[in-house]
């Protein structure tokens, strides 16, 4: 099987995600079968899934429930037939449910929702939101991951998304979206949620072996040592990408997906964490340093750490100096074992919706040995 094109990786678009080829390169270079790979900012779970596919053990965490749901769905993949049975069961309950009740829930939502989703699509989504026990049941979690991965996207270019026109990676604010749809006279199209979810499950689980299983937890990067106590001294390799300085607010930008997972029907900031976009550089570097400190008990003596970082308002030299300082304060013997790799970022998809946004202009990859 060619892991390169595995559809499961792309189950949910995510901001600042790294490609599976990035993970594969370092897992193959620095680990052997059965070694443990860890990611304390796991996002959509690229490190975890790719490491599992390469026969390694994998664990990771993220503070955002969207990232947690998607990564854990990838780490604990249910069998396709159990997903299809569950979808049929849920659809039957939906068809027999009280129509007036579903309509009442729909009308209680802010106006954004009625312009974002066709009315029957929204009712189906609302029903799934109330019904899926994604926190406790791995089949429901996988279905929830499929839903949030399809919740918003480009309506004009694809029929794969449930919403009116929207970027795939982030959800824009309600007022901005309403203005945008009004100005461009855009209305949502009807999407058959249950049928689409079945097709998506079949596609995403194509070619996938459900044998290896990873460990994903909802946790702050600074607390991973207590959450993963059973893994102390076992991590051979860390591959990670912390939030970038000044670039995005994962909580606010993922607000619609967070709503589907049980959150409020509007964007929030600082309810999940205040740490995802420091605007003050020294606070940011303190957070990064504390995150390295959180890893210490988990690492093997000869562990390697691979980090992809970007920033707005900081040049590359400055970023490298600050990054190395943050590592050295925790691992005094740490050293770069490869020259930092600089990559320019091409214009992102979300920018076509927000023409004034500057975005992050570059990323740098660092490869370190900590002993
Ligand atoms: C650059 S993204 C990681 C993307 C990931 N490499 C991928 O391929 O999807 C950074 C992640 O850090 C998470 N994050 C922010 N603050 C955190 C914290 N205090 N603890 C753990 N995760 C945090 C964000 O929710 C986000 O998912």
């Amino acid at each position: 099987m060619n892991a390169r094109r595995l559809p499961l990786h792309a189950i949910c678009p995510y901001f600042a995600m790294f490609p599976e080829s990035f993970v594969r390169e370092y897992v193959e270079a620095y680990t052997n079968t059965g070694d443990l790979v860890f990611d304390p900012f796991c996002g959509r779970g690229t490190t975890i899934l790719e490491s599992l596919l390469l026969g390694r053990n994998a664990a990771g965490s993220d503070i955002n429930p969207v990232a947690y749901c998607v990564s854990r769905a990838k780490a604990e993949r249910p069998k396709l037939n159990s997903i299809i049975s569950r979808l049929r069961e849920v659809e039957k309950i939906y068809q027999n449910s009280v129509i007036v009740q579903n309509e009442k829930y729909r009308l209680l939502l802010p106006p954004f929702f009625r312009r974002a989703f066709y009315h029957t699509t929204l009712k189906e989504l609302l029903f799934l939101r109330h019904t899926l026990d994604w926190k406790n049941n791995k089949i429901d979690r996988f279905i929830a991951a499929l839903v949030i991965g399809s919740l918003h996207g480009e309506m004009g270019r694809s029929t794969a998304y449930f919403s009116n026109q929207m970027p795939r990676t982030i959800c824009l604010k309600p007022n901005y979206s309403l203005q945008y749809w009004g100005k461009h006279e855009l209305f949502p199209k009807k999407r058959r949620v249950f049928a689409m979810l079945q097709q998506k499950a079949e596609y995403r689980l194509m070619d996938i072996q459900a044998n290896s299983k990873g460990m994903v937890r909802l946790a702050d990067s600074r607390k991973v040592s207590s959450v993963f106590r059973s893994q102390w001294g076992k991590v051979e390799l860390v591959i990670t990408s912390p939030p970038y300085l000044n670039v995005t607010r994962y909580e606010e930008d993922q607000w619609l997906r967070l709503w589907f997972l049980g959150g409020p029907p509007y964007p929030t900031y600082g309810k999940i964490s205040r740490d995802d976009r420091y605007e003050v550089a020294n606070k940011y570097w303190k957070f990064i340093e504390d995150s390295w400190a959180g890893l210490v008990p988990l690492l093997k003596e000869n562990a390697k750490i691979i980090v992809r970082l970007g920033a707005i308002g900081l040049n590359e030299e400055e970023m490298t100096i600050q990054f190395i300082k943050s590592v050295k304060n925790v691992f005094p013997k740490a050293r770069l074992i490869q020259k930092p790799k600089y990559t320019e970022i091409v214009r992102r998809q979300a920018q076509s919706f927000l023409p004034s946004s500057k975005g992050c202009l570059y990323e740098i990859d660092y490869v370190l040995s900590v002993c």
Side-chain angles (χ1 to χ4, degrees):
M1 182 192 66
N2 180 6
R4 199 168 290 268
R5 295 263 157 234
L6 198 76
L8 185 55
H9 269 301
I11 191 172
C12 183
Y14 201 67
F15 196 83
M17 57 203 177
F18 43 47
E20 49 268 32
S21 55
F22 173 79
V23 175
R24 194 178 323 126
E25 180 186 339
Y26 294 110
V27 167
E28 284 178 340
Y30 294 114
T31 64
N32 296 309
T33 305
D35 284 348
L36 178 60
V37 183
F38 191 81
D39 186 348
F41 300 100
C42 68
R44 67 166 185 166
T46 316
T47 297
I48 291 160
L49 179 59
E50 190 61 19
S51 301
L52 292 173
L53 293 171
L54 293 167
R56 275 57 169 179
N57 289 311
S61 57
D62 200 289
I63 206 164
N64 191 314
V66 170
Y68 166 67
C69 173
V70 172
S71 296
R72 193 157 176 194
K74 289 176 177 179
E76 298 173 29
R77 303 167 300 279
K79 294 225 160 61
L80 177 60
N81 51 13
S82 48
I83 297 173
I84 292 175
S85 308
R86 176 68 173 146
L87 276 170
R88 288 196 181 132
E89 178 191 47
V90 173
E91 185 175 9
K92 218 180 211 167
I93 306 172
Y94 173 75
Q95 279 161 352
N96 295 330
S97 66
V98 188
I99 294 165
V100 185
Q101 188 80 337
N102 292 327
E103 183 59 4
K104 192 181 95 194
Y105 287 137
R106 190 181 76 87
L107 293 173
L108 281 174
L109 285 167
F112 164 89
F113 284 83
R114 294 193 291 280
R115 187 74 183 250
F117 303 103
Y118 191 81
H119 65 100
T120 54
T121 309
L122 182 53
K123 277 192 267 191
E124 290 171 2
L125 289 172
L126 268 166
F127 179 78
L128 285 170
R129 181 177 180 271
H130 288 291
T131 306
L132 295 175
D133 181 15
W134 69 271
K135 286 185 186 152
N136 301 305
N137 178 303
K138 73 174 185 179
I139 300 170
D140 282 13
R141 189 180 306 122
F142 196 90
I143 297 173
L146 287 171
V147 173
I148 58 180
S150 315
L151 204 53
H152 50 85
E154 296 156 290
M155 184 182 66
R157 289 224 311 252
S158 166
T159 53
Y161 301 100
F162 301 137
S163 75
N164 199 339
Q165 187 77 343
M166 182 75 80
R168 268 169 284 155
T169 48
I170 61 168
C171 182
L172 302 176
K173 301 270 173 50
N175 284 348
Y176 182 90
S177 305
L178 285 169
Q179 275 169 23
Y180 183 91
W181 295 326
K183 185 171 155 206
H184 297 273
E185 294 182 17
L186 291 165
F187 292 90
K189 303 230 165 73
K190 180 171 178 163
R191 303 285 190 237
R192 294 179 193 281
V193 176
F194 295 102
M196 281 172 70
L197 289 175
Q198 178 166 335
Q199 280 167 7
K200 282 168 191 286
E202 284 162 356
Y203 174 64
R204 296 293 170 201
L205 287 171
M206 194 166 50
D207 293 337
I208 195 99
Q209 316 291 323
N211 40 18
S212 55
K213 187 177 152 201
M215 204 181 185
V216 176
R217 296 290 175 265
L218 184 65
D220 189 299
S221 54
R222 293 160 290 189
K223 306 228 169 93
V224 290
S225 63
S226 53
V227 177
F228 290 92
R229 202 166 270 274
S230 60
Q231 308 303 317
W232 278 26
K234 294 187 184 163
V235 173
E236 193 78 40
L237 178 68
V238 172
I239 306 184
T240 198
S241 182
Y244 296 176
L245 176 63
N246 254 327
V247 173
T248 187
R249 290 178 169 175
Y250 285 92
E251 179 180 339
E252 211 174 27
D253 291 344
Q254 298 295 324
W255 76 267
L256 192 56
R257 290 172 177 156
L258 287 168
W259 163 77
F260 183 80
L261 295 178
Y266 47 81
T268 57
Y269 177 58
K271 286 224 185 302
I272 293 174
S273 160
R274 294 206 157 271
D275 310 321
D276 66 352
R277 172 181 152 161
Y278 275 123
E279 282 143 29
V280 182
N282 58 5
K283 285 192 184 170
Y284 173 78
W285 291 112
K286 169 86 173 76
F287 161 63
I288 295 293
E289 185 178 319
D290 291 347
S291 298
W292 305 145
L295 285 175
V296 172
L298 298 179
L299 300 186
K300 271 186 149 174
E301 208 183 311
N302 59 347
K304 310 279 183 295
I305 301 186
I306 319 294
V307 180
R308 173 166 283 190
L309 262 193
I312 290 181
L314 200 64
N315 69 39
E316 337 152 22
E317 286 92 325
E318 232 177 305
M319 188 159 87
T320 299
I321 291 168
Q322 293 297 338
F323 169 72
I324 300 293
K325 202 167 125 197
S326 75
V327 177
K328 286 257 188 194
N329 284 347
V330 177
F331 304 103
K333 292 187 189 156
R335 65 197 163 84
L336 284 170
I337 52 176
Q338 284 183 24
K339 202 168 161 258
K341 196 167 142 201
Y342 173 92
T343 318
E344 219 167 282
I345 297 180
V346 285
R347 194 175 159 80
R348 287 190 191 280
Q349 185 236 2
Q351 286 171 282
S352 56
F353 293 83
L354 282 167
S356 60
S357 87
K358 288 201 180 69
C360 179
L361 300 177
Y362 68 91
E363 284 167 331
I364 304 184
D365 300 338
Y366 300 99
V367 181
L368 297 134
S369 150
V370 293
C371 65

